[in-house]
Amino acid sequence: MESKPEIKLGLEGVYFTESEICKVDGINGKLYYYGYSIETLAENSNFEETCFLLLNGRLPDESELSAFRKTLASERELPAEIVSVIRASARTANAMDLLRSTFSMLSLYDKDANDNSEEANMRKSIRFMSKIASITAAIGSFRQGREYVKPDSSMGHVENFLYMLNGKKPMAEEVKILDLMFLLHAEHSSNASTFSGIVTASTLSDLHSSITSAIGTLKGPLHGGADEAALHMMHAIGSPENTEAYINDALAGKKKIMGFGHRVYKTYDPRARIIKRRLEELRGSADEEVKNLTNIALAAEKLMIDKLGASHGIWPNVDFFSGPVYTDLGIPDYLFTPMFAVSRVPGWCAHIMQYWKSNRLVRPLEYYNGEIDRKYVPIEGR
Ligand code: CMC
């Protein structure tokens, strides 16, 4: 009888490949994209430049960045059929389901769909960044009862996203904040959605299929879906004074507090630290709802750190503070996870293209613990 191997549930602690794209230092709470710390990029860079970095492994010079932005702008238009599907879908449809379905449909209209050359994959990666933003904005404008707003190629990536979503040119400050949020979400090593994209890619399937797999994986509340779930919890708490009783009850009932904890970070997630700075500014917001959510979030953070921070290694992650920040920007909760996908596309594509350079089929083992050689009993005898 074979002896039972060690089983790593959830592949916890297992290295499956090497990469220089991203380092997540879970002990010291540090994150690097191609060696640049997230704090350095947040302070000095922007989402478009960071996308170039993730796809090319280096920062662009001025003319490269300008060409990259032009290509992004030229790829924003959606096939009319996809806009029609969004508009024909049930208003109650889950926004991530709609994003996953319509993103998948893009392959039907893409002449590069089944070209797996490096050049075609780079073209598709840039195209995906533009089109997933347009799809997400179209879902949002449809849900809010507005007409589809055609993209404006004179605008930057984030500015155009907000323009397509709301039908009006956003303020520079709004663009700056959302650009930072996109940059912070652009990449995170071998997280579940990136791994899922790589699993699909490793069969030598195509980039559309791989990113569709990643979108489906991101949806779950243990991953990208936590941002929306965290905001729902803040709404359920209702006021800062209720926070302690709510958290105590939830923990006593063994419920997880969404937006806390991480498989790799056993300390404060550096992205959450950066978003928290924005949240602290929102304490003085003129909008009562935003101010209330902000105070609930800050009260919950303090309580959770006191209870589970140092003792259990459960700290705020990137998804905890996003809700009040997005609410302040007027973004509805059902778009939080789709926007996570919009910002994660460069990271997904960068990893998949890199994995293909030395591709090996991902095919782990499962230990069989059932019976063998069971006797087949015909149906009438069971
Ligand atoms: N609230 C309360 N308890 C928690 C939490 C939490 N958010 N997270 C972990 N724990 C407890 C958990 O109950 C378990 O306790 P015990 O040992 O007594 O059973 C212990 O900590 C270990 O938790 P785990 O779920 O086995 O550990 P993991 O490595 O699988 O955790 C996690 C990672 C993200 C799945 C988990 O922390 C979690 O479910 N957090 C809430 C969902 C969330 O915020 N997800 C976003 C992750 S970061 C961004 C992203 O990927 O999108």
Side-chain angles (χ1 to χ4, degrees):
M1 170 105 178
E2 64 180 300
S3 62
K4 186 172 175 176
E6 187 191 357
I7 291 174
K8 299 276 193 183
L9 276 182
L11 299 181
E12 185 164 354
V14 174
Y15 288 91
F16 81 102
T17 190
E18 292 182 46
S19 170
E20 71 277 33
I21 299 174
C22 181
K23 177 168 175 64
V24 180
D25 175 350
I27 304 298
N28 298 304
K30 301 288 287 175
L31 168 63
Y32 304 86
Y33 297 171
Y34 269 109
Y36 295 98
S37 78
I38 196 68
E39 293 82 8
T40 300
L41 292 171
E43 188 65 31
N44 302 291
S45 186
N46 56 63
F47 182 64
E48 287 162 322
E49 185 183 69
T50 297
C51 289
F52 184 100
L53 169 69
L54 291 169
L55 292 183
N56 297 282
R58 61 178 177 82
L59 289 169
D61 64 23
E62 268 179 39
S63 69
E64 286 171 325
L65 181 58
S66 158
F68 186 72
R69 297 184 79 208
K70 268 198 194 119
T71 312
L72 273 174
S74 71
E75 292 283 3
R76 287 180 187 146
E77 198 53 87
L78 294 176
E81 293 84 348
I82 290 188
V83 178
S84 301
V85 168
I86 293 172
R87 302 200 67 81
S89 69
R91 281 271 165 106
T92 50
N94 178 285
M96 278 300 275
D97 293 347
L98 194 47
L99 175 64
R100 189 198 58 237
S101 306
T102 46
F103 182 88
S104 176
M105 274 184 74
L106 285 173
S107 68
L108 310 178
Y109 309 97
D110 190 330
K111 59 184 181 331
D112 286 327
N114 287 297
D115 181 348
N116 244 0
S117 65
E118 274 186 38
E119 299 73 32
N121 285 326
M122 184 59 94
R123 282 198 298 276
K124 283 185 272 187
S125 298
I126 300 172
R127 189 170 298 148
F128 288 1
M129 286 175 211
S130 296
K131 296 219 190 298
I132 196 171
S134 297
I135 291 177
T136 300
I139 292 172
S141 71
F142 163 63
R143 277 294 185 81
Q144 293 174 68
R146 281 197 295 272
E147 289 301 309
Y148 173 63
V149 177
K150 281 192 169 289
D152 183 332
S153 61
S154 72
M155 294 184 184
H157 185 73
V158 174
E159 185 183 18
N160 175 72
F161 170 75
L162 284 170
Y163 167 68
M164 289 181 71
L165 175 61
N166 296 322
K168 58 176 198 270
K169 201 172 154 51
M171 290 187 293
E173 183 61 15
E174 294 170 329
V175 175
K176 191 171 157 217
I177 292 159
L178 193 59
D179 191 279
L180 173 66
M181 296 298 283
F182 278 14
L183 185 155
L184 296 174
H185 286 83
E187 161 55 17
H188 212 238
S189 183
S190 56
N191 57 86
S193 55
T194 302
F195 184 66
S196 151
I198 288 175
V199 171
T200 301
S202 82
T203 69
L204 299 185
S205 181
D206 59 277
L207 203 56
H208 284 88
S209 304
S210 304
I211 301 302
T212 305
S213 299
I215 295 171
T217 306
L218 186 72
K219 180 185 172 191
L222 296 188
H223 190 9
D227 49 11
E228 188 181 342
L231 184 76
H232 290 170
M233 181 190 76
M234 291 172 204
H235 280 300
I237 292 175
S239 73
E241 302 73 55
N242 289 345
T243 310
E244 184 160 13
Y246 185 100
I247 300 263
N248 284 343
D249 276 4
L251 293 179
K254 293 262 166 222
K255 282 203 194 129
K256 281 186 169 175
I257 307 297
M258 293 293 139
F260 282 85
H262 199 276
R263 178 61 64 75
V264 184
Y265 293 121
K266 296 304 169 197
T267 183
Y268 217 112
D269 179 333
R271 303 164 298 174
R273 216 185 263 292
I274 295 170
I275 302 172
K276 186 184 165 190
R277 268 187 241 138
R278 170 66 192 153
L279 206 69
E280 280 165 339
E281 290 164 18
L282 290 178
R283 272 185 150 153
S285 168
D287 183 308
E288 282 306 317
E289 188 197 355
V290 171
K291 201 193 295 182
N292 193 42
L293 288 171
T294 300
N295 288 327
I296 293 169
L298 292 170
E301 179 226 26
K302 186 172 176 327
L303 273 161
M304 284 292 286
I305 292 178
D306 288 349
K307 284 177 188 297
L308 300 174
S311 57
H312 292 76
I314 295 171
W315 296 82
N317 62 51
V318 70
D319 289 322
F320 188 62
F321 296 121
S322 308
V325 172
Y326 289 148
T327 304
D328 181 54
L329 291 172
I331 293 169
D333 57 0
Y334 54 80
L335 282 191
F336 294 0
T337 317
M339 286 195 331
F340 193 153
V342 170
S343 30
R344 186 53 63 82
V345 164
W348 286 335
C349 291
H351 278 281
I352 289 166
M353 288 193 289
Q354 181 175 75
Y355 193 81
W356 267 330
K357 288 197 170 134
S358 47
N359 190 67
R360 185 140 175 93
L361 176 74
V362 178
R363 204 305 184 190
L365 293 174
E366 176 186 77
Y367 181 73
Y368 178 68
N369 65 4
E371 296 173 45
I372 51 167
D373 287 337
R374 293 178 80 183
K375 187 171 180 298
Y376 183 84
V377 180
I379 196 159
E380 59 280 9
R382 286 177 210 157

